[in-house]
C-alpha cells in the first residue's frame, strides 16, 4: 500500500506534525550531537502580559505561520499578519506563511498551470517586499523566503530571489507522478515527504535550504498512512496508521542515523493536529473522550498536561514554541502560545484574544432544518431558510449549490455583531432573496432546479463547528420577459455595431432598485441586428417557456427568433413578407386569454390589428384581425402584461404630445376605453413591458432615453395609477458601450 499524505499546493504552512497519545516512554534516547540546530524552546512567561486583540478571529479561522515578531492567520478568506508587540494587523493579499517572519504572496499564471511570481514580505524588518519569478511549474511549499517548485514532470527545485536550483537528492529521472510536500521545518531546514519510485515506497527527507540538497532520508512503511511528522534539532518523528487494522505506531529516528524505531501507541484512530514537539513533550488532541481537548504527553513516565479545551489549528513558531487557535473555558477563544514553563511542564498562554468572553466549552450539535422541500419563488421577495442547533450562540455559514444547474450562494450570519439571524423559535438563518452569487459578484436570481444546502455553525465558545446538509427544489413559472429562465426580467440591448447583448436583471432589496445581474454577449443570434428596423420581444409565442422575439427587416419581412436559450445561436425563421405596412408593433401581452402572448400592429392609416399566437414555430400567428382604428395618433405602443388588474393583458400607448395612455384588455382581443397615465413620456426612445422586476407579483415597466439613461416603473396593480414613481437603473444603460435599441 502507498503511504498517503495530504498535499496542499501553493501553501507554505509547514506545521503538519504528529499527534501522539501515550504515558510511557516512546521517543527513545536523545542524540548528543546533530547536524542542525534550532532555537531553544522558550519557557512560559512567569507573568503573562495582557493579550492583544484580534476581533477578526471571532468567527474562527486558521493559523498559517508564526515568526519571532508575529503570526499569520486567515479568516473569512482574508490573510493578516499580526505583531506580538502591539497587536497591529496587516492584510497581505494572497499570502501564505511558514515558521518564520517571512510571508509569501503567490501569483498564479493566468489561465494555465504554474506560478508566475512570488513576493516575499519580511514582516520583522519591514524591508521593501521582493518579487521574483523563475518558476518552471507550481510553487508547492517552502521555508521562509525559499519556495519548492514542482514542474509538470514532477521535478522539484528551490526558488528564491537569487534564482532557482535543482534539489540534489530529489531528482526524478523516471518522471514518476510522486506526491511531494513539506510537512515541517526548522530555520534553514525543511522536512519533506515524497513517494518513492517503487510502488508503495515513501520517504521523509531533510532538505538543507542553503545547499539545496537532501541531507537525510528516512523510509516510511509502505502499508500505512502517515498522519504527520516533526523535525527537531535531535530527531525526526512521525506517526503511522496501518491500513489493515487502524493501529498506530510512533516512528522515531535520531538525526544522522539510518535506524528507525517503531513503538505502538496506546490509542488508535488518533486525530493529529498541526503542531509538533515542545521540548520532550508531544502535543495532540486528547486520546480518550474523558481527556479530550488539546494536551501534551511526556516522553517519559508521567501525566499528560491539559492545554486547551479545543484547538482549531496549531502552527510551529520560529522560536520553537507552538501557536494554537483555540479556546479554554476560563480565558475564552483566541491564539495561545504553548511552551514549557519553569516547572518543566508545557502550558498555554493566551496571547491574542478574539474579544469573546469565556463561555462553557460545550460542543454544539445540529437539531433540525426548516427548509421547504420545494420553494415556489414566483412573486416572492424573500424566503426564510433556518436551522436549529443546541445553542443560538454561534455564527452560521450558509452555502447553496446548484445541482446540474449553474448557481452558488454563500453568506455568513453573525447574530452577535449584526443583531440579526436569530428567530423567535430559536433557529438561526436568513430571509433569502432567491439569489446566487459569490462575494457580491455575478449575483443573479436563482434559476429552476435542485440546490444542495450546507450550513456550518461555529459556536462563540471556540468549540468545534458542526455541519449539516440537505437539498431543495426551486420552482419558477415562465415569465413574459425572462430569457434566462430564472424568474427575473431580461432585456436585450442592440449595440451600434449590430451585436446583441442580453442583460439579466435582478432586484436589489437593499437599494430598492433594478440592477444588472449578468450581461451575456451575442445573445439570441450572432448576426447583424442593424438589418432590422423593428424589433419586438413578444413573450412566449411558440411554447419554449421563455420569451421569443420578432424582427422586421428593411424589406418588410418578419423573422422569428426563438428564445429557448439566451445564447442558443438559432438562426431566425421567416414568418412572412408584407409587414412593411405597419408603423408600430407590440408583443408580450396575452390579449385573448389562451395563455400565449399575442402580437398587435398599427398600420400607416392608424388601424390596429391583432395577430393571435398559435404556439407553432412554422406559423406562429393566425391571420390578422382588425380590432381598432384611430391609433395613428400614437408613436409608440407597448404590451405590458396585466398591469391594471383586469381580465387579460394590457397595452400602453404614447401620443405625439408625450402623453401615455392605458388600454385595459378585456380578454377577447379588445380593450376598454383608454385612461390617461401622464405626460412627459416623449423623453424615452424605448418603453418596454419587462414583467415582474421587483418580485411583488405585478408587471412593471422599463424606459430608456436616447442618451442611455434608464428607469424602472414599478407596477401598482391599479388601473387608475398603474405605475409608482420611477427609479434609475443601470440595466441597458451602457458603461463603455453604446446601445441604439433596448427591447
Amino acid at each position: 500500500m502507498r503511504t498517503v499524505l495530504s498535499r496542499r499546493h501553493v501553501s507554505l504552512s509547514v506545521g503538519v506534525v504528529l499527534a501522539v497519545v501515550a504515558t510511557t516512554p516512546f521517543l527513545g534516547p536523545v542524540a548528543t550531537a546533530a547536524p542542525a540546530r534550532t532555537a531553544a524552546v522558550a519557557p512560559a512567561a512567569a507573568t503573562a502580559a495582557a493579550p492583544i486583540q484580534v476581533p477578526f478571529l471571532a468567527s474562527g479561522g486558521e493559523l498559517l505561520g508564526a515568526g519571532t515578531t508575529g503570526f499569520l492567520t486567515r479568516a473569512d478568506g482574508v490573510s493578516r499578519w499580526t505583531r506580538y508587540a502591539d497587536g497591529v494587523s496587516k492584510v497581505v493579499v494572497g499570502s501564505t506563511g511558514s515558521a518564520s517572519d517571512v510571508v509569501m504572496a503567490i501569483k498564479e499564471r493566468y489561465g494555465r498551470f504554474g506560478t508566475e511570481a512570488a513576493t516575499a514580505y519580511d514582516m520583522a524588518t519591514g524591508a521593501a517586499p521582493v518579487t521574483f519569478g523563475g518558476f518552471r511549474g507550481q510553487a508547492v511549499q517552502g521555508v521562509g523566503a525559499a519556495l519548492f517548485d514542482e514542474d509538470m514532470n514532477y521535478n522539484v527545485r528551490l526558488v528564491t530571489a537569487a534564482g532557482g536550483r535543482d534539489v540534489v537528492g530529489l531528482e526524478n529521472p523516471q518522471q514518476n507522478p510522486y506526491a511531494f510536500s513539506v510537512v515541517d521545518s526548522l530555520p534553514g531546514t525543511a522536512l519533506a515527504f515524497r513517494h518513492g519510485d517503487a510502488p508503495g515506497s515513501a520517504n521523509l527527507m531533510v532538505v538543507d535550504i542553503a545547499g539545496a540538497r537532501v541531507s537525510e532520508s528516512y523510509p516510511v512503511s509502505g502499508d500505512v498512512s502517515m498522519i504527520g511528522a516533526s523535525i527537531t534539532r535531535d530527531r525526526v518523528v512521525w506517526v503511522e496508521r496501518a491500513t489493515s487494522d487502524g493501529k498506530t505506531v510512533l516512528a522515531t529516528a535520531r538525526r544522522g542515523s539510518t535506524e528507525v524505531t517503531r513503538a505502538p501507541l496506546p490509542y488508535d484512530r488518533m486525530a493529529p493536529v498541526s503542531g509538533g514537539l515542545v521540548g520532550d513533550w508531544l502535543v495532540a488532541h486528547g486520546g480518550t473522550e474523558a481527556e479530550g481537548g488539546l494536551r501534551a504527553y511526556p516522553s517519559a513516565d508521567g501525566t499528560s498536561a491539559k492545554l486547551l479545551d479545543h484547538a482549531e489549528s496549531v502552527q510551529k513558531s520560529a522560536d520553537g514554541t507552538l501557536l494554537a487557535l483555540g479556546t479554554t473555558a476560563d480565558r475564552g477563544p483566541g491564539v495561545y502560545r504553548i511552551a514549557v514553563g519553569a516547572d518543566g511542564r508545557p502550558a498555554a498562554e493566551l496571547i491574542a484574544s478574539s474579544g469573546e468572553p469565556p463561555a462553557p466549552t460545550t460542543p454544539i450539535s445540529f437539531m433540525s432544518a426548516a427548509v421547504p422541500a420545494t420553494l415556489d419563488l414566483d412573486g416572492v421577495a424573500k424566503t426564510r431558510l433556518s436551522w436549529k442547533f443546541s445553542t443560538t450562540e454561534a455564527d452560521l455559514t450558509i452555502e447553496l449549490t446548484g445541482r446540474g444547474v449553474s448557481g452558488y450562494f454563500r453568506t455568513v450570519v453573525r447574530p452577535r455583531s449584526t443583531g440579526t439571524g436569530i428567530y423567535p423559535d430559536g433557529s438561526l438563518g436568513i430571509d433569502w432573496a432567491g439569489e446566487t452569487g459569490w462575494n457580491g459578484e455575478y449575483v443573479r436570481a436563482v434559476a429552476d432546479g435542485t440546490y444542495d444546502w450546507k450550513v456550518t455553525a461555529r459556536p462563540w465558545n471556540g468549540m468545534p463547528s458542526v455541519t449539516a446538509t440537505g437539498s431543495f427544489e426551486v420552482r419558477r413559472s415562465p415569465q413574459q420577459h425572462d430569457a434566462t429562465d430564472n424568474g427575473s426580467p431580461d432585456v436585450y440591448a442592440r449595440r451600434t455595431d449590430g451585436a446583441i447583448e442580453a442583460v439579466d436583471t435582478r432586484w436589489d432589496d437593499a437599494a430598492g432598485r433594478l440592477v444588472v445581474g449578468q450581461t451575456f454577449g451575442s445573445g439570441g443570434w450572432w448576426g447583424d441586428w442593424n438589418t432590422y428596423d423593428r424589433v419586438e420581444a413578444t413573450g412566449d409565442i411558440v411554447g419554449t417557456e421563455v420569451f421569443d422575439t420578432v424582427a422586421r427587416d428593411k424589406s418588410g419581412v418578419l423573422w422569428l427568433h426563438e428564445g429557448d436559450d439566451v445564447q442558443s445561436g438559432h438562426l431566425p425563421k421567416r414568418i412572412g413578407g408584407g409587414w412593411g405596412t405597419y408603423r408600430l408593433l407590440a408583443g408580450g401581452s396575452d390579449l385573448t386569454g389562451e395563455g400565449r402572448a399575442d402580437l398587435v400592429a398599427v398600420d400607416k392609416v392608424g388601424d390596429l390589428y391583432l395577430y393571435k399566437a398559435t404556439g407553432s414555430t412554422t406559423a406562429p400567428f393566425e391571420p390578422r384581425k382588425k380590432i381598432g382604428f384611430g391609433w395613428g395618433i400614437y408613436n409608440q405602443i407597448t404590451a405590458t402584461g396585466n398591469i391594471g388588474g383586469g381580465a387579460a393583458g394590457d397595452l400602453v400607448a404614447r401620443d405625439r404630445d408625450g402623453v401615455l395612455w392605458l388600454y385595459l384588455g378585456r380578454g377577447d382581443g379588445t380593450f376598454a376605453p383608454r385612461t390617461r397615465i401622464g405626460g412627459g413620456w416623449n423623453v424615452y426612445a424605448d418603453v418596454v413591458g419587462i414583467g415582474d422586476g421587483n418580485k411583488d407579483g405585478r408587471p412593471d415597466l422599463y424606459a430608456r432615453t436616447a442618451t442611455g439613461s434608464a428607469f424602472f416603473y414599478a407596477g401598482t396593480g391599479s388601473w387608475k395609477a398603474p405605475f409608482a414613481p420611477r427609479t434609475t437603473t443601470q440595466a441597458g444603460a451602457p458603461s463603455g458601450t453604446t446601445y441604439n435599441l433596448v427591447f
Side-chain angles (χ1 to χ4, degrees):
M1 301 293 291
R2 294 177 71 85
T3 300
V4 178
L5 181 69
S6 174
R7 176 176 183 170
R8 294 177 292 173
H9 278 286
V10 198
S11 172
L12 304 184
S13 180
V14 295
V16 182
V17 296
L18 70 123
V20 179
V21 181
T23 56
T24 56
F26 45 72
L27 289 180
V30 175
T32 57
R37 297 187 62 85
T38 186
V41 176
T47 303
I52 59 180
Q53 298 298 304
V54 284
F56 48 84
L57 291 175
S59 296
E62 61 178 327
L63 285 165
L64 300 180
T68 58
T69 63
F71 58 92
L72 185 68
T73 59
R74 180 182 292 125
D76 287 337
V78 178
S79 299
R80 295 177 174 88
W81 177 268
T82 303
R83 295 198 299 245
Y84 298 128
D86 53 16
V88 172
S89 297
K90 178 181 179 180
V91 173
V92 187
V93 178
S95 60
T96 57
S98 62
S100 77
D101 289 285
V102 176
V103 175
M104 302 290 290
I106 307 299
K107 182 180 181 181
E108 303 294 339
R109 291 192 180 104
Y110 178 74
R112 58 194 182 100
F113 169 81
T115 297
E116 179 179 327
T119 302
Y121 297 86
D122 190 331
M123 311 306 290
T125 65
V130 177
T131 299
F132 55 92
F135 296 93
R136 295 177 182 171
Q138 180 78 55
V140 180
Q141 291 153 313
V143 177
L147 284 166
F148 286 92
D149 172 39
E150 184 180 26
D151 65 20
M152 296 189 71
N153 293 320
Y154 311 104
N155 297 307
V156 179
R157 306 166 68 240
L158 267 175
V159 181
T160 65
R165 294 177 294 168
D166 293 331
V167 180
V168 178
L170 280 178
E171 298 87 354
N172 184 27
Q174 290 81 26
Q175 295 183 354
N176 292 329
Y178 61 81
F180 173 84
S181 59
V182 176
V183 292
D184 198 9
S185 70
L186 298 172
T189 303
L191 181 63
F193 171 88
R194 61 152 287 185
H195 284 306
D197 294 332
S201 64
N203 294 278
L204 283 168
M205 297 179 170
V206 178
V207 180
D208 172 46
I209 301 299
R213 65 183 183 87
V214 174
S215 59
E216 306 163 39
S217 182
Y218 305 96
V220 178
S221 297
D223 59 348
V224 303
S225 297
M226 193 180 80
I227 302 173
S230 181
I231 185 172
T232 71
R233 177 175 60 89
D234 305 309
R235 54 189 176 262
V236 173
V237 297
W238 65 94
V239 176
E240 297 175 347
R241 176 177 294 153
T243 56
S244 57
D245 57 11
K247 299 293 184 181
T248 55
V249 299
L250 176 73
T252 305
R254 288 187 293 177
R255 296 283 304 276
S257 170
T258 59
E259 181 182 357
V260 178
T261 61
R262 289 178 170 86
L265 295 176
Y267 303 115
D268 296 330
R269 311 306 301 174
M270 295 185 308
V273 297
S274 296
L277 293 168
V278 179
D280 289 331
W281 295 72
L282 292 165
V283 175
H285 287 303
T288 67
E289 185 176 350
E291 289 179 328
L294 190 71
R295 308 184 74 89
Y297 294 86
S299 61
D301 290 334
T303 59
S304 64
K306 178 71 173 291
L307 300 173
L308 301 174
D309 289 306
H310 171 67
E312 287 288 319
S313 58
V314 181
Q315 179 64 253
K316 178 182 285 186
S317 176
D319 63 2
T321 63
L322 299 181
L323 294 191
L325 177 61
T327 189
T328 61
D330 59 337
R331 288 167 287 175
V335 177
Y336 288 79
R337 184 188 300 279
I338 299 171
V340 176
D343 60 355
R345 293 175 63 82
E349 174 195 0
L350 179 64
I351 64 169
S353 172
S354 68
E356 309 305 322
T361 52
T362 304
I364 191 172
S365 59
F366 171 71
M367 299 175 66
S368 63
V371 179
T374 301
L375 277 63
D376 185 350
L377 298 183
D378 288 347
V380 175
K382 293 186 178 181
T383 299
R384 178 159 298 178
L385 308 177
S386 64
W387 296 265
K388 278 189 178 181
F389 298 87
S390 56
T391 178
T392 58
E393 295 185 346
D395 292 339
L396 198 65
T397 299
I398 303 170
E399 295 176 272
L400 310 176
T401 306
R403 186 193 304 174
V405 61
S406 176
Y408 177 77
F409 172 84
R410 181 183 185 273
T411 190
V412 180
V413 179
R414 294 186 173 89
R416 183 169 37 192
S417 58
T418 65
T420 60
I422 301 179
Y423 297 114
D425 64 353
S427 63
L428 298 170
I430 58 171
D431 291 330
W432 184 43
E435 296 171 345
T436 64
W438 172 255
N439 287 342
E441 298 180 358
Y442 304 111
V443 179
R444 299 177 58 202
V446 66
D448 253 2
T450 301
Y451 291 81
D452 296 315
W453 57 261
K454 181 173 77 172
V455 296
T456 301
R458 184 180 296 277
W460 300 342
N461 63 8
M463 294 298 285
S465 59
V466 62
T467 297
T469 60
S471 63
F472 59 85
E473 298 285 330
V474 168
R475 291 287 177 261
R476 291 189 184 274
S477 301
Q479 302 297 316
Q480 70 180 56
H481 222 276
D482 179 16
T484 50
D485 195 26
N486 63 351
S488 65
D490 306 306
V491 294
Y492 278 153
R494 183 176 66 187
R495 302 199 311 242
T496 53
D497 62 4
I500 289 289
E501 293 182 350
V503 182
D504 180 25
T505 71
R506 70 177 180 90
W507 184 253
D508 187 330
D509 291 289
R513 295 186 184 278
L514 188 74
V515 299
V516 177
Q518 190 170 352
T519 298
F520 299 88
S522 300
W525 175 46
W526 300 293
D528 182 6
W529 285 66
N530 281 332
T531 61
Y532 299 129
D533 62 5
R534 289 288 185 273
V535 183
E536 186 69 20
T538 61
D540 178 25
I541 60 175
V542 295
T544 59
E545 295 192 346
V546 289
F547 77 76
D548 305 308
T549 302
V550 296
R552 186 186 69 188
D553 65 25
K554 294 172 184 177
S555 65
V557 176
L558 194 68
W559 300 85
L560 168 67
H561 290 268
E562 295 179 64
D564 56 343
D565 191 316
V566 70
Q567 291 180 310
S568 65
H570 287 172
L571 293 176
K573 293 182 174 63
R574 189 179 191 274
I575 295 175
W579 288 76
T581 188
Y582 297 117
R583 293 177 47 251
L584 305 173
L585 298 174
S589 287
D590 177 13
L591 302 176
T592 58
E594 295 188 354
R596 288 187 292 267
D598 304 307
L599 185 70
V600 292
V602 177
D603 66 15
K604 294 177 181 179
V605 298
D607 291 336
L608 181 68
Y609 291 89
L610 168 69
Y611 285 86
K612 186 177 179 181
T614 65
S616 168
T617 58
T618 57
F621 300 113
E622 293 183 1
R624 70 179 188 175
K625 177 183 178 181
K626 185 176 178 180
I627 58 174
F629 58 90
W631 287 67
I633 64 173
Y634 300 119
N635 57 24
Q636 189 172 68
I637 59 173
T638 301
T640 61
N642 188 344
I643 62 171
D650 308 317
L651 294 178
V652 294
R654 183 184 64 192
D655 65 24
R656 293 187 178 91
D657 294 326
V659 176
L660 194 68
W661 300 86
L662 170 64
Y663 284 85
L664 288 173
R666 290 194 172 105
D668 59 359
T670 64
F671 301 96
R674 69 179 189 175
T675 302
R676 189 180 191 274
I677 295 176
W681 287 76
N682 51 2
V683 299
Y684 298 124
D686 306 307
V687 179
V688 183
I690 60 170
D692 183 13
N694 60 359
K695 301 186 293 186
D696 66 354
R698 293 188 291 265
D700 307 309
L701 198 67
Y702 168 94
R704 178 181 174 274
T705 69
T707 58
S709 298
F711 300 91
F712 174 80
Y713 288 85
T716 66
S718 169
W719 63 270
K720 294 181 179 180
F723 302 115
R726 72 181 188 181
T727 57
T728 59
T729 178
Q730 290 301 308
S735 176
T737 303
T738 301
Y739 299 132
N740 58 28
L741 175 68
V742 174
F743 59 94

